[in-house]
């Protein structure tokens, strides 16, 4: 079910742990007694349509695809199914196929899936320990004064009244570090290469907006008036692309360096700078 529904049930006080109300931040302990109210889920759940996506790398343990913008990585929050459900439907013989990480629905680019539990565990460890090199390309409002800079503001994750996940720069939040390099400057927009040194939710979007250079097409943290103007010119999605990944193969240890070219819409906008 959508995560927003879960949060609504929690806020209503219908979920009890040890006969008391709890919020979404509560972590269950061994021995807790949990009461969950009856939940009605629509019987008309859409089954996933089988679909394949551009494959950048595939072997017995890994599948790395170039995810198109506008496709969710998994079902939930108003989406019946996403990349993982479609791939499972297209590959019924795959006994174990799991997402190793996530990309926002409107972000395009490299997405790692694992075919073996051992591979998934090791990729998760590398992600957690900062051993996966993740480089993104984005087009933002304005022109940064410096050719290269870092953003290290702490990030706080919260949930809106409608159950939507949001992130803000806030003292006491989770440590986050983003490295930025300017590739191309224009009068109004710039093309940036962004390296993630931590993997917080919406990190690039929030850090760049906080730095005064929101990602074009960002419907959560962007310049909404500018987005409306750009939409008339055909820029109708988040201008963010996960273009490069480098990490050790989880089973062989071989260093993998993978790339996905800029999608046509981003490449066309970058050419105008």
């Amino acid at each position: 079910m959508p995560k927003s529904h879960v949060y609504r049930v929690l806020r209503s006080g219908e979920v009890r742990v040890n006969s008391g109300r709890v919020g979404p931040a509560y972590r269950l302990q061994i021995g807790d007694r949990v009461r969950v109210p009856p939940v009605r889920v629509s019987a008309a759940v859409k089954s996933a349509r089988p679909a394949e996506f551009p494959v950048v790398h595939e072997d017995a343990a890994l599948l790395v695809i170039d995810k198109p913008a506008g496709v969710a990585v998994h079902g939930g929050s108003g989406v019946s199914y996403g990349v993982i459900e479609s791939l499972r439907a297209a590959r019924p013989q795959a006994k174990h196929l799991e997402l190793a990480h996530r990309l926002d629905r409107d972000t395009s680019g490299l997405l790692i899936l694992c075919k073996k539990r051992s591979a998934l565990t090791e990729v998760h460890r590398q992600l957690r320990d900062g051993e996966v090199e993740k480089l993104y390309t984005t087009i933002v409002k304005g022109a940064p004064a410096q050719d290269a800079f870092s953003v290290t503001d702490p990030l706080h994750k919260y949930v809106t009244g409608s159950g939507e996940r949001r992130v803000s720069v806030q003292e006491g939040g989770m440590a986050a570090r983003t490295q930025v390099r300017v590739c191309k400057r224009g009068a109004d927009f710039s093309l940036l290469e962004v390296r993630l040194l931590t993997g917080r939710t919406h990190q690039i979007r929030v850090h760049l907006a906080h730095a005064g250079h929101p990602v074009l097409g960002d419907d959560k943290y962007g310049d909404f008036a500018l987005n409306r103007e750009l939409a008339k010119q055909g820029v109708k999605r988040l201008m963010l692309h996960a273009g490069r990944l480098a990490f050790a193969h989880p089973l062989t240890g071989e260093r993998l360096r993978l790339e996905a070219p800029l999608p046509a819409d981003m490449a066309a906008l970058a050419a105008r700078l």
Side-chain angles (χ1 to χ4, degrees):
M1 71 180 67
K3 193 179 285 186
S4 58
H5 187 93
V6 176
Y7 282 116
R8 269 200 302 275
V9 174
L10 280 166
R11 279 197 308 275
S12 71
E14 295 175 84
V15 175
R16 302 289 178 118
V17 176
N18 303 325
S19 302
R21 293 188 177 199
V22 292
Y26 179 78
R27 290 182 177 271
L28 290 172
Q29 309 293 318
I30 291 174
D32 279 352
R33 287 194 337 278
V34 183
R35 177 195 174 276
V36 180
V39 177
R40 181 177 296 170
V41 180
S42 170
V45 176
K46 291 182 183 176
S47 57
R49 283 187 194 160
E52 289 284 354
F53 301 90
V55 175
V56 178
H57 174 88
E58 184 169 12
D59 58 39
L62 293 176
L63 172 62
V64 183
I65 65 166
D66 183 0
K67 184 187 84 67
V71 180
V73 296
H74 57 70
S77 299
V79 179
S80 298
Y81 55 85
V83 168
I84 185 64
E85 292 88 0
S86 292
L87 281 171
R88 284 172 180 159
R91 299 170 173 232
Q93 74 284 0
K95 294 180 181 177
H96 183 98
L97 191 60
E98 298 285 350
L99 291 164
H101 64 118
R102 287 162 175 74
L103 291 176
D104 292 340
R105 189 189 309 184
D106 282 339
T107 301
S108 56
L110 296 169
L111 181 68
I112 306 171
L113 299 99
C114 294
K115 298 179 177 181
K116 295 184 176 182
R117 171 65 61 182
S118 55
L120 181 67
T121 302
E122 173 57 16
V123 173
H124 278 170
R125 185 202 64 76
Q126 291 187 44
L127 286 163
R128 192 170 56 247
D129 294 346
E131 296 175 12
V132 179
E133 183 181 10
K134 294 183 282 187
L135 285 170
Y136 291 72
T137 302
T138 184
I139 304 175
V140 301
K141 175 185 176 181
Q146 300 168 287
D147 290 338
F149 59 96
S150 292
V151 187
T152 57
D153 302 277
L155 298 177
H156 169 68
K157 188 160 61 172
Y158 63 98
V159 180
T160 66
S162 61
E164 193 176 7
R165 286 185 310 163
R166 289 293 176 96
V167 178
S168 63
V169 168
Q170 187 173 310
E171 205 61 47
M174 299 287 284
R177 190 174 176 204
T178 307
Q179 288 183 339
V180 183
R181 184 174 69 86
V182 179
C183 300
K184 201 173 180 183
R185 280 189 181 88
D188 302 307
F189 314 126
S190 296
L191 182 73
L192 309 181
E193 179 186 82
V194 180
R195 184 188 299 266
L196 276 183
L197 299 182
T198 52
R200 309 302 178 203
T201 301
H202 300 164
Q203 179 175 325
I204 292 175
R205 298 160 66 180
V206 177
H207 267 175
L208 288 176
H210 186 68
H213 303 289
V215 177
L216 301 188
D218 190 339
D219 62 358
K220 283 186 171 71
Y221 312 103
D223 183 323
F224 304 138
L226 176 61
N227 288 346
R228 285 193 293 272
E229 287 302 312
L230 289 170
K232 297 173 186 174
Q233 302 172 37
V235 180
K236 296 183 178 180
R237 65 104 168 176
L238 185 73
M239 293 286 104
L240 182 60
H241 178 67
R244 280 197 286 167
L245 279 174
F247 59 101
H249 190 283
L251 301 189
T252 68
E254 173 195 1
R255 190 73 177 168
L256 294 176
R257 296 183 182 277
L258 307 173
E259 293 194 26
L262 269 186
D265 55 352
M266 284 189 68
L269 185 57
R272 287 164 48 187
L273 295 177

